[in-house]
Amino acid sequence: GINAADLKKLKDAGFNTSQSVAFAMRKELLSIKGLSDQKVDKIIEAARKSSEIGFVTCTQLVSKMKSRFQIATGAGKLDQMLGGGVESCSITEIFGEFRCGKTQLCHSLSVVAQLPSSMGGANGKVVYIDTEGTFRPERIRQIAEAKGVSPSDAMDNIVYARCYTSDHLEQLLVEAAGLMVNDEDRFALLVV
């Protein structure tokens, strides 16, 4: 196994899951003070064994896919086009011209993600990384009220950070991964 001190070194460097270690460049792991070539090889081997990063059968894939869920957007036609909403374990890119509703959609998803699945949600918290400075807590409050959710609860369930550079984004994503893994609450959505 891997000793507790080495696990702490990995976590301190932002490697919070076995997958993050398995996908890391060997060179990146070697840059962590106190990890030798042999330790890094051992850590990578253990991470790859414990992570499902290789081939699986179609039956295993179908089983995995059953645990995915959709978060309703609130727009019936869009949900229909997306096969029920924004899918978990996926990247959904939203793009369009200035003032076409991208931020509004992200705000709505941030509230709906907290709702129970019977209401189109995922019963989880949200990480919101704002790269454009367009996040508006007052819109979260309004949407929550419209959905019959306590505005203060909705706002408490959104963890927010303003991002300023691509390097800062990388740092925030590492922090977000740590939050999502270490928090006892379930996170349902990451908005960037």
Side-chain angles (χ1 to χ4, degrees):
I2 301 166
N3 69 45
D6 290 340
L7 285 174
K8 183 177 180 341
K9 290 173 190 170
L10 289 166
K11 283 190 175 193
D12 290 347
F15 295 98
N16 294 293
T17 66
S18 58
Q19 276 190 333
S20 66
V21 173
F23 293 140
M25 300 294 290
R26 188 172 188 283
K27 179 180 168 184
E28 192 175 5
L29 295 173
L30 284 169
S31 71
I32 299 171
K33 188 175 180 182
L35 295 185
S36 66
D37 282 343
Q38 291 172 330
K39 277 188 182 180
V40 165
D41 290 341
K42 184 178 174 183
I43 289 168
I44 290 171
E45 183 182 343
R48 289 184 177 159
K49 283 181 182 176
S50 69
S51 300
E52 297 176 7
I53 61 170
F55 288 100
V56 296
T57 66
C58 286
T59 303
Q60 291 169 317
L61 179 62
V62 168
S63 177
K64 251 185 177 178
M65 291 175 75
K66 284 182 183 177
S67 66
R68 292 185 179 182
F69 54 86
Q70 278 79 28
I71 300 171
T73 64
K77 293 282 186 194
L78 181 56
D79 286 342
Q80 190 176 8
M81 286 173 39
L82 294 171
V86 174
E87 186 178 44
S88 68
C89 304
S90 299
I91 296 173
T92 303
E93 183 177 3
I94 302 166
F95 63 94
E97 292 189 23
F98 180 68
R99 299 190 55 81
C100 71
K102 301 178 300 291
T103 300
Q104 172 64 30
L105 180 59
C106 291
H107 283 86
S108 294
L109 286 167
S110 295
V111 173
V112 173
Q114 301 175 45
L115 299 174
S117 58
S118 62
M119 297 176 69
N123 203 33
K125 288 185 168 188
V126 176
V127 174
Y128 199 114
I129 301 175
D130 183 3
T131 61
E132 297 180 341
T134 55
F135 181 79
R136 299 289 176 262
E138 63 274 9
R139 283 301 295 142
I140 297 296
R141 180 177 296 283
Q142 292 168 347
I143 295 165
E145 287 171 350
K147 299 280 184 192
V149 175
S150 160
S152 60
D153 287 349
M155 292 180 9
D156 284 344
N157 286 325
I158 298 172
V159 181
Y160 170 85
R162 174 71 168 97
C163 175
Y164 297 96
T165 66
S166 58
D167 287 340
H168 188 211
L169 176 59
E170 189 175 330
Q171 173 194 347
L172 289 172
L173 288 170
V174 168
E175 287 181 41
L179 278 174
M180 295 170 131
V181 169
N182 296 324
D183 198 302
E184 61 230 20
D185 297 316
R186 180 172 172 264
F187 281 85
L189 181 67
L190 168 65
V191 175
V192 180

